[in-house]
Amino acid sequence: MNPLEHKIVNHIHLHGALRFDNYMRLCALHPRHGYYNRPDPVGSPASFTTSPEISQMFGELIGVCFARHWVLTGKPRRCNLLELGPGRGTLMSDLLRAASQVSELVSSSRVVLCERSRTLQEQQHERLKSYRPRWTRNLEGVGERTTFAIANEFFDALAVRQFRRTRRCWQELHVAVNHSRLVPVFLPLQGRPPGYGFERVKPGSIVEWRPEAVTYMQQLSGLVNRNGGLALIVDYGEARGSGDTIQAIAGNEFAEPFETPGRADISAHVDFGALAVAAGDRVAVATSRQGTFLKRLGIEQRARILARGLSGDMLRSHVAALHRLVDTDAMGSLFKVMALYRKGAPLPPGFA
């Protein structure tokens, strides 16, 4: 039993079963034992790999998208370049390098990183210190400027509540203890669960809802509505989520969410329909598959340019990275891109 598991078991013995979203939050962000406070929670062989760690092209094209939209909307001064969940700072580093080559957006902006993990803040500082980034734990500290925001694989890691409908009542997923082991258990819920569209759910169905996602989407849409700019959400999920999508990844392999808490990254599919509802009608919304979005921005042309100086294993790795990002049987279809932009502004680059 690892230290975090021991703490959780003791808590359950004292207070009863733990609601799953609280369990997930502890596993991710416990100050000493949480997954994101480990030495290398992102990008190492013992962790999971995100698109920016797969290829520099991903971050570069996000930078191109922002730079083009900045030009299309009149080159506003005093901007925020904001990233939610910046990992090791890889995406922001690639974004800044590419955007600075095609526009003056970077020189007109300050870099703001929304990050709760002290471990990752230290890694981000090391990579981005020349840009003098600012850190915030939530979007209330971002400031009223034209904001270009990217949230890549951020929403999937937010704590999720899971509900099951029976013929008699609604139930909610909790974590209990059985013979000193953490186990999932559904307990009765008083009334209906919070969330969007659950009144149409049939008995036997499972649905999921993220309270924090609603807050973040409302804050992002408010920033864009008041100040202009563009917010991109990139994640895996569907237009309307349903079913049990909770999963854990350890060492780039699937793991059990209730075994060795704090040692695996727990996440769940993103319900993009619920995100759009949370954003409200204050902003315009566009969506695309990741592969289509990156192709429209020119990832295949960029890949050919980068391939000119490569050969052997490095070339094969480069080509494999391209296919992993855009192919429909890899990340190209499972991952979606949602844009929030000001009503009346041009459609952001990369969207049809």
Side-chain angles (χ1 to χ4, degrees):
M1 188 179 295
N2 70 40
L4 182 57
E5 187 175 8
H6 184 74
K7 289 178 179 292
I8 293 172
V9 168
N10 285 343
H11 177 91
I12 293 172
H13 282 316
L14 288 171
H15 304 286
L18 183 66
R19 211 170 69 185
F20 179 79
D21 60 320
N22 294 325
Y23 168 78
M24 183 174 172
R25 200 174 288 111
L26 277 173
C27 291
L29 294 170
H30 186 277
R32 292 186 60 190
H33 309 299
Y35 180 84
Y36 286 101
N37 285 313
R38 299 171 60 203
D40 290 300
V42 179
S44 71
S47 66
F48 66 96
T49 303
T50 61
S51 294
E53 305 292 342
I54 292 170
S55 171
Q56 70 184 68
M57 296 184 290
F58 182 83
E60 288 174 344
L61 291 173
I62 298 296
V64 169
C65 176
F66 281 173
R68 290 180 183 173
H69 197 69
W70 178 76
V71 172
L72 290 171
T73 53
K75 302 182 180 179
R77 298 295 173 180
R78 290 176 50 80
C79 300
N80 287 318
L81 281 170
L82 166 68
E83 184 172 4
L84 289 76
R88 301 194 300 176
T90 304
L91 190 158
M92 182 58 76
S93 176
D94 294 337
L95 182 161
L96 292 166
R97 183 181 64 253
S100 64
Q101 294 176 3
V102 296
S103 76
E104 298 174 356
L105 169 61
V106 175
S107 61
S108 301
S109 304
R110 64 182 181 188
V111 175
V112 183
L113 306 174
C114 183
E115 180 60 72
R116 297 180 184 178
S117 165
R118 294 295 302 174
T119 299
L120 289 174
Q121 284 184 13
E122 292 170 3
Q123 295 182 21
Q124 294 153 16
H125 176 265
E126 187 62 30
R127 182 159 291 183
L128 300 168
K129 56 188 174 184
S130 62
Y131 295 98
R132 294 182 295 180
R134 299 173 61 237
W135 281 268
T136 179
R137 290 178 62 84
N138 55 61
L139 298 190
E140 293 175 357
V142 170
E144 297 295 329
R145 293 184 172 200
T146 302
T147 297
F148 293 84
I150 173 67
N152 178 65
E153 292 195 57
F154 173 77
F155 282 88
D156 70 274
L158 294 178
V160 65
R161 295 178 68 179
Q162 188 182 94
F163 307 98
R164 180 173 69 185
R165 186 169 189 179
T166 70
R167 293 188 179 278
R168 293 185 176 183
C169 67
W170 280 95
Q171 300 173 331
E172 181 166 7
L173 179 63
H174 286 68
V175 181
V177 176
N178 184 21
H179 299 296
S180 299
R181 293 174 61 88
L182 297 175
V183 294
V185 58
F186 279 93
L187 299 179
L189 179 73
Q190 296 297 322
R192 289 181 177 179
Y196 155 65
F198 293 166
E199 65 276 2
R200 298 186 295 272
V201 172
K202 297 179 180 180
S205 299
I206 288 178
V207 293
E208 296 168 345
W209 181 66
R210 287 182 171 87
E212 289 176 286
V214 174
T215 301
Y216 279 112
M217 290 300 291
Q218 290 174 344
Q219 291 174 330
L220 283 172
S221 64
L223 278 170
V224 172
N225 174 55
R226 293 190 302 271
N227 305 295
L230 171 64
L232 296 178
I233 296 98
V234 185
D235 229 311
Y236 68 97
E238 302 300 334
R240 188 71 184 102
S242 64
D244 177 10
T245 72
I246 293 169
Q247 64 181 31
I249 300 289
N252 277 312
E253 295 182 356
F254 287 106
E256 289 297 326
F258 303 97
E259 293 182 3
T260 61
R263 304 286 176 82
D265 174 55
I266 303 176
S267 64
H269 283 218
V270 172
D271 183 340
F272 281 91
L275 294 189
V277 170
D281 59 3
R282 295 179 293 180
V283 293
V285 177
T287 58
S288 173
R289 293 180 177 180
Q290 176 175 290
T292 305
F293 172 75
L294 294 174
K295 287 179 180 179
R296 288 180 182 139
L297 288 172
I299 192 170
E300 291 166 320
Q301 296 89 329
R302 178 61 176 154
R304 285 195 290 269
I305 292 171
L306 292 175
R308 290 172 185 168
L310 303 177
S311 60
D313 289 344
M314 292 185 67
L315 178 59
R316 284 188 286 272
S317 177
H318 172 65
V319 172
L322 170 66
H323 289 298
R324 187 174 175 184
L325 289 174
V326 303
D327 283 3
T328 56
D329 60 351
M331 301 172 74
S333 181
L334 175 62
F335 278 68
K336 313 297 188 300
V337 186
M338 173 178 280
L340 309 181
Y341 60 105
R342 215 172 198 173
K343 286 187 173 181
L347 187 68
F351 295 89

